[in-house]
Amino acid sequence: MNLIIFGPPGAGKGTQSNFIANKYKLFQLETGKILRNEVKNKTELGIKISSRMNEGSLVSDEIVSKLVEKFISNKKHKNKFIFDGYPRNIPQAENLNNLLNKYEQKAGLVLKLSVSLDIIKKRISGRSVCSICEKIYNEYFNPAPLNSNCCAPRFLKKRSDDTLNIAVKRFQNYEKNTEPLIKFYKNLNLLKVVNGESPISQINAEISGLIDSNEGWL
Ligand SMILES: [Zn+2]
């Protein structure tokens, strides 16, 4: 069975998709990563991608689609995909359906990792790193111990406000383009929403439960 996972940037999608890929022996098709690989390996597509990026343009849907097809057409991964970072909008979702049909496959389960903007803001703005021991803390979720000699407030370094502003923009962009996928996959009866604000181990367990109880799992 093929799986699709989506959710706002900062929701922990990568962590969960890694977990699923390892546990269920799936091929993790992470579009961002394979795009970077194409560029690095200077393939025909990679060269096209770099020239687009040098022009300051976004990588077109057409290029991403070609890349996705390259993997879907590989029989080795048939019905063993987890799509992470694709689709990002309705046209891409329709395209993915067509590609899967073309190679006699289909999506069996779509997971939406749900996290509010408020939590994502706190994850970013509350984050600090100890400049002595490099431990990572979060003032809201995982504060540094009060009586520690090493991780005292004066050693804790925060990220710049820019990081937060960029994250808010990316979230808004996600809401505009990707949230319509909820309705799209609900209509196909494939969507399951997972609370991405729970502890990671709990999210892992919830996702495993959904996959295990999904009929037709191969
Ligand atoms: Zn420290």
Side-chain angles (χ1 to χ4, degrees), residues 9 17 19 25 29 32 60 64 77 99 103 128 143 171 173 176 179 191 193 204:
S17 107
F19 162 78
K25 307 273 175 290
L29 204 155
S60 68
V64 182
H77 305 308
L99 284 177
Y103 296 98
S128 61
F171 188 93
N173 213 12
K176 193 174 122 211
E179 287 271 301
L191 186 79
V193 179
N204 287 166

PDB file of all heavy atoms in Angstrom, residues 9 17 19 25 29 32 60 64 77 99 103 128 143 171 173 176 179 191 193 204:
ATOM      1  N   PRO A   9       4.712  22.939   7.779  1.00  0.00           N
ATOM      2  CA  PRO A   9       6.141  22.898   8.078  1.00  0.00           C
ATOM      3  C   PRO A   9       6.354  23.072   9.573  1.00  0.00           C
ATOM      4  O   PRO A   9       5.724  23.921  10.188  1.00  0.00           O
ATOM      5  CB  PRO A   9       6.717  24.088   7.296  1.00  0.00           C
ATOM      6  CG  PRO A   9       5.563  24.873   6.799  1.00  0.00           C
ATOM      7  CD  PRO A   9       4.338  24.042   6.895  1.00  0.00           C
ATOM      8  N   SER A  17       7.591  10.355   8.953  1.00  0.00           N
ATOM      9  CA  SER A  17       7.684   9.613   7.708  1.00  0.00           C
ATOM     10  C   SER A  17       8.912   8.696   7.721  1.00  0.00           C
ATOM     11  O   SER A  17       8.865   7.579   7.197  1.00  0.00           O
ATOM     12  CB  SER A  17       7.584  10.553   6.508  1.00  0.00           C
ATOM     13  OG  SER A  17       8.770  10.732   5.870  1.00  0.00           O
ATOM     14  N   PHE A  19      10.008   7.254  10.454  1.00  0.00           N
ATOM     15  CA  PHE A  19       9.577   6.170  11.334  1.00  0.00           C
ATOM     16  C   PHE A  19       8.746   5.144  10.548  1.00  0.00           C
ATOM     17  O   PHE A  19       8.980   3.934  10.629  1.00  0.00           O
ATOM     18  CB  PHE A  19       8.771   6.757  12.501  1.00  0.00           C
ATOM     19  CG  PHE A  19       7.916   5.763  13.229  1.00  0.00           C
ATOM     20  CD1 PHE A  19       8.477   4.889  14.155  1.00  0.00           C
ATOM     21  CD2 PHE A  19       6.547   5.695  12.992  1.00  0.00           C
ATOM     22  CE1 PHE A  19       7.690   3.957  14.819  1.00  0.00           C
ATOM     23  CE2 PHE A  19       5.752   4.773  13.648  1.00  0.00           C
ATOM     24  CZ  PHE A  19       6.321   3.902  14.571  1.00  0.00           C
ATOM     25  N   LYS A  25       8.992  -0.824   5.990  1.00  0.00           N
ATOM     26  CA  LYS A  25       9.859  -1.068   4.830  1.00  0.00           C
ATOM     27  C   LYS A  25       9.308  -0.391   3.569  1.00  0.00           C
ATOM     28  O   LYS A  25       9.135  -1.015   2.526  1.00  0.00           O
ATOM     29  CB  LYS A  25      10.004  -2.580   4.571  1.00  0.00           C
ATOM     30  CG  LYS A  25      10.444  -3.386   5.786  1.00  0.00           C
ATOM     31  CD  LYS A  25      11.970  -3.420   5.917  1.00  0.00           C
ATOM     32  CE  LYS A  25      12.441  -4.106   7.172  1.00  0.00           C
ATOM     33  NZ  LYS A  25      12.180  -3.368   8.436  1.00  0.00           N
ATOM     34  N   LEU A  29       9.615   8.717  -0.423  1.00  0.00           N
ATOM     35  CA  LEU A  29       9.815   9.633  -1.542  1.00  0.00           C
ATOM     36  C   LEU A  29       9.657  11.059  -1.030  1.00  0.00           C
ATOM     37  O   LEU A  29       8.562  11.612  -0.998  1.00  0.00           O
ATOM     38  CB  LEU A  29       8.832   9.327  -2.672  1.00  0.00           C
ATOM     39  CG  LEU A  29       9.283   9.779  -4.055  1.00  0.00           C
ATOM     40  CD1 LEU A  29       8.623   8.943  -5.126  1.00  0.00           C
ATOM     41  CD2 LEU A  29       9.022  11.231  -4.315  1.00  0.00           C
ATOM     42  N   GLY A  32      11.730  17.070  -1.638  1.00  0.00           N
ATOM     43  CA  GLY A  32      12.788  18.059  -1.409  1.00  0.00           C
ATOM     44  C   GLY A  32      14.167  17.423  -1.502  1.00  0.00           C
ATOM     45  O   GLY A  32      15.074  17.960  -2.141  1.00  0.00           O
ATOM     46  N   SER A  60       9.131  23.926 -11.327  1.00  0.00           N
ATOM     47  CA  SER A  60       7.750  23.806 -11.804  1.00  0.00           C
ATOM     48  C   SER A  60       7.141  22.460 -11.433  1.00  0.00           C
ATOM     49  O   SER A  60       7.843  21.476 -11.209  1.00  0.00           O
ATOM     50  CB  SER A  60       7.717  23.964 -13.320  1.00  0.00           C
ATOM     51  OG  SER A  60       8.362  22.852 -13.913  1.00  0.00           O
ATOM     52  N   VAL A  64       8.784  18.511 -11.132  1.00  0.00           N
ATOM     53  CA  VAL A  64       8.591  17.653  -9.953  1.00  0.00           C
ATOM     54  C   VAL A  64       7.837  16.389 -10.349  1.00  0.00           C
ATOM     55  O   VAL A  64       8.171  15.282  -9.929  1.00  0.00           O
ATOM     56  CB  VAL A  64       7.842  18.409  -8.826  1.00  0.00           C
ATOM     57  CG1 VAL A  64       7.705  17.523  -7.593  1.00  0.00           C
ATOM     58  CG2 VAL A  64       8.578  19.681  -8.436  1.00  0.00           C
ATOM     59  N   HIS A  77       9.751  -0.446  -6.245  1.00  0.00           N
ATOM     60  CA  HIS A  77       9.051   0.228  -5.141  1.00  0.00           C
ATOM     61  C   HIS A  77       7.535   0.117  -5.255  1.00  0.00           C
ATOM     62  O   HIS A  77       6.819   0.778  -4.531  1.00  0.00           O
ATOM     63  CB  HIS A  77       9.417   1.715  -5.109  1.00  0.00           C
ATOM     64  CG  HIS A  77      10.887   1.978  -5.046  1.00  0.00           C
ATOM     65  ND1 HIS A  77      11.707   1.406  -4.118  1.00  0.00           N
ATOM     66  CD2 HIS A  77      11.680   2.774  -5.818  1.00  0.00           C
ATOM     67  CE1 HIS A  77      12.946   1.826  -4.310  1.00  0.00           C
ATOM     68  NE2 HIS A  77      12.970   2.645  -5.335  1.00  0.00           N
ATOM     69  N   LEU A  99      -0.704   9.377 -12.025  1.00  0.00           N
ATOM     70  CA  LEU A  99       0.555   8.615 -12.132  1.00  0.00           C
ATOM     71  C   LEU A  99       0.411   7.242 -11.483  1.00  0.00           C
ATOM     72  O   LEU A  99       0.851   6.231 -12.034  1.00  0.00           O
ATOM     73  CB  LEU A  99       1.711   9.374 -11.472  1.00  0.00           C
ATOM     74  CG  LEU A  99       2.289  10.568 -12.238  1.00  0.00           C
ATOM     75  CD1 LEU A  99       3.375  11.252 -11.411  1.00  0.00           C
ATOM     76  CD2 LEU A  99       2.862  10.127 -13.586  1.00  0.00           C
ATOM     77  N   TYR A 103       0.601   3.391 -13.396  1.00  0.00           N
ATOM     78  CA  TYR A 103       1.476   2.270 -13.045  1.00  0.00           C
ATOM     79  C   TYR A 103       0.762   1.260 -12.142  1.00  0.00           C
ATOM     80  O   TYR A 103       1.392   0.551 -11.354  1.00  0.00           O
ATOM     81  CB  TYR A 103       2.771   2.795 -12.412  1.00  0.00           C
ATOM     82  CG  TYR A 103       3.563   3.610 -13.409  1.00  0.00           C
ATOM     83  CD1 TYR A 103       3.483   4.995 -13.425  1.00  0.00           C
ATOM     84  CD2 TYR A 103       4.338   2.974 -14.384  1.00  0.00           C
ATOM     85  CE1 TYR A 103       4.167   5.742 -14.371  1.00  0.00           C
ATOM     86  CE2 TYR A 103       5.023   3.710 -15.334  1.00  0.00           C
ATOM     87  CZ  TYR A 103       4.940   5.091 -15.320  1.00  0.00           C
ATOM     88  OH  TYR A 103       5.617   5.824 -16.278  1.00  0.00           O
ATOM     89  N   SER A 128      15.996  27.293  22.460  1.00  0.00           N
ATOM     90  CA  SER A 128      17.313  27.877  22.721  1.00  0.00           C
ATOM     91  C   SER A 128      18.340  26.760  22.815  1.00  0.00           C
ATOM     92  O   SER A 128      18.013  25.614  23.111  1.00  0.00           O
ATOM     93  CB  SER A 128      17.299  28.708  23.991  1.00  0.00           C
ATOM     94  OG  SER A 128      16.963  27.895  25.088  1.00  0.00           O
ATOM     95  N   PRO A 143      12.048  23.264  29.430  1.00  0.00           N
ATOM     96  CA  PRO A 143      12.926  24.333  29.903  1.00  0.00           C
ATOM     97  C   PRO A 143      14.233  23.805  30.494  1.00  0.00           C
ATOM     98  O   PRO A 143      14.282  22.670  30.975  1.00  0.00           O
ATOM     99  CB  PRO A 143      12.088  25.036  30.978  1.00  0.00           C
ATOM    100  CG  PRO A 143      11.025  24.077  31.358  1.00  0.00           C
ATOM    101  CD  PRO A 143      10.829  23.117  30.229  1.00  0.00           C
ATOM    102  N   PHE A 171       3.866  28.707   6.958  1.00  0.00           N
ATOM    103  CA  PHE A 171       2.626  28.119   7.475  1.00  0.00           C
ATOM    104  C   PHE A 171       1.416  28.655   6.695  1.00  0.00           C
ATOM    105  O   PHE A 171       0.524  27.913   6.304  1.00  0.00           O
ATOM    106  CB  PHE A 171       2.475  28.421   8.968  1.00  0.00           C
ATOM    107  CG  PHE A 171       1.322  27.697   9.615  1.00  0.00           C
ATOM    108  CD1 PHE A 171       1.529  26.471  10.227  1.00  0.00           C
ATOM    109  CD2 PHE A 171       0.036  28.227   9.614  1.00  0.00           C
ATOM    110  CE1 PHE A 171       0.465  25.784  10.822  1.00  0.00           C
ATOM    111  CE2 PHE A 171      -1.028  27.548  10.202  1.00  0.00           C
ATOM    112  CZ  PHE A 171      -0.800  26.326  10.811  1.00  0.00           C
ATOM    113  N   ASN A 173       1.387  29.912   3.743  1.00  0.00           N
ATOM    114  CA  ASN A 173       1.470  29.373   2.399  1.00  0.00           C
ATOM    115  C   ASN A 173       0.912  27.952   2.348  1.00  0.00           C
ATOM    116  O   ASN A 173       0.153  27.578   1.441  1.00  0.00           O
ATOM    117  CB  ASN A 173       2.951  29.354   2.011  1.00  0.00           C
ATOM    118  CG  ASN A 173       3.124  29.590   0.552  1.00  0.00           C
ATOM    119  OD1 ASN A 173       2.192  29.979  -0.136  1.00  0.00           O
ATOM    120  ND2 ASN A 173       4.338  29.339   0.077  1.00  0.00           N
ATOM    121  N   LYS A 176      -2.899  27.905   2.585  1.00  0.00           N
ATOM    122  CA  LYS A 176      -3.548  28.325   1.346  1.00  0.00           C
ATOM    123  C   LYS A 176      -3.514  27.205   0.301  1.00  0.00           C
ATOM    124  O   LYS A 176      -4.517  26.902  -0.326  1.00  0.00           O
ATOM    125  CB  LYS A 176      -2.845  29.574   0.810  1.00  0.00           C
ATOM    126  CG  LYS A 176      -3.600  30.275  -0.275  1.00  0.00           C
ATOM    127  CD  LYS A 176      -2.911  31.590  -0.648  1.00  0.00           C
ATOM    128  CE  LYS A 176      -2.557  31.584  -2.106  1.00  0.00           C
ATOM    129  NZ  LYS A 176      -1.364  32.334  -2.449  1.00  0.00           N
ATOM    130  N   GLU A 179      -3.878  22.862   2.537  1.00  0.00           N
ATOM    131  CA  GLU A 179      -5.060  22.491   3.316  1.00  0.00           C
ATOM    132  C   GLU A 179      -6.235  22.007   2.442  1.00  0.00           C
ATOM    133  O   GLU A 179      -6.983  21.140   2.870  1.00  0.00           O
ATOM    134  CB  GLU A 179      -5.516  23.645   4.213  1.00  0.00           C
ATOM    135  CG  GLU A 179      -4.594  23.868   5.412  1.00  0.00           C
ATOM    136  CD  GLU A 179      -4.968  23.042   6.639  1.00  0.00           C
ATOM    137  OE1 GLU A 179      -6.100  23.182   7.122  1.00  0.00           O
ATOM    138  OE2 GLU A 179      -4.125  22.257   7.094  1.00  0.00           O
ATOM    139  N   LEU A 191      -8.542   9.896   4.115  1.00  0.00           N
ATOM    140  CA  LEU A 191      -7.872  10.780   5.067  1.00  0.00           C
ATOM    141  C   LEU A 191      -8.015  10.361   6.534  1.00  0.00           C
ATOM    142  O   LEU A 191      -9.107  10.037   6.992  1.00  0.00           O
ATOM    143  CB  LEU A 191      -8.407  12.209   4.907  1.00  0.00           C
ATOM    144  CG  LEU A 191      -7.672  13.246   5.766  1.00  0.00           C
ATOM    145  CD1 LEU A 191      -6.357  13.620   5.112  1.00  0.00           C
ATOM    146  CD2 LEU A 191      -8.518  14.476   5.989  1.00  0.00           C
ATOM    147  N   VAL A 193      -6.660  12.061  10.258  1.00  0.00           N
ATOM    148  CA  VAL A 193      -5.969  13.187  10.883  1.00  0.00           C
ATOM    149  C   VAL A 193      -5.322  12.723  12.180  1.00  0.00           C
ATOM    150  O   VAL A 193      -5.943  12.061  13.000  1.00  0.00           O
ATOM    151  CB  VAL A 193      -6.951  14.349  11.166  1.00  0.00           C
ATOM    152  CG1 VAL A 193      -6.220  15.516  11.842  1.00  0.00           C
ATOM    153  CG2 VAL A 193      -7.592  14.820   9.857  1.00  0.00           C
ATOM    154  N   ASN A 204       3.732   8.111  16.955  1.00  0.00           N
ATOM    155  CA  ASN A 204       4.192   6.860  16.334  1.00  0.00           C
ATOM    156  C   ASN A 204       3.158   5.759  16.528  1.00  0.00           C
ATOM    157  O   ASN A 204       2.792   5.051  15.591  1.00  0.00           O
ATOM    158  CB  ASN A 204       5.503   6.371  16.982  1.00  0.00           C
ATOM    159  CG  ASN A 204       6.711   7.204  16.589  1.00  0.00           C
ATOM    160  OD1 ASN A 204       7.761   7.114  17.197  1.00  0.00           O
ATOM    161  ND2 ASN A 204       6.577   8.028  15.572  1.00  0.00           N
TER     162      ASN A 204
END
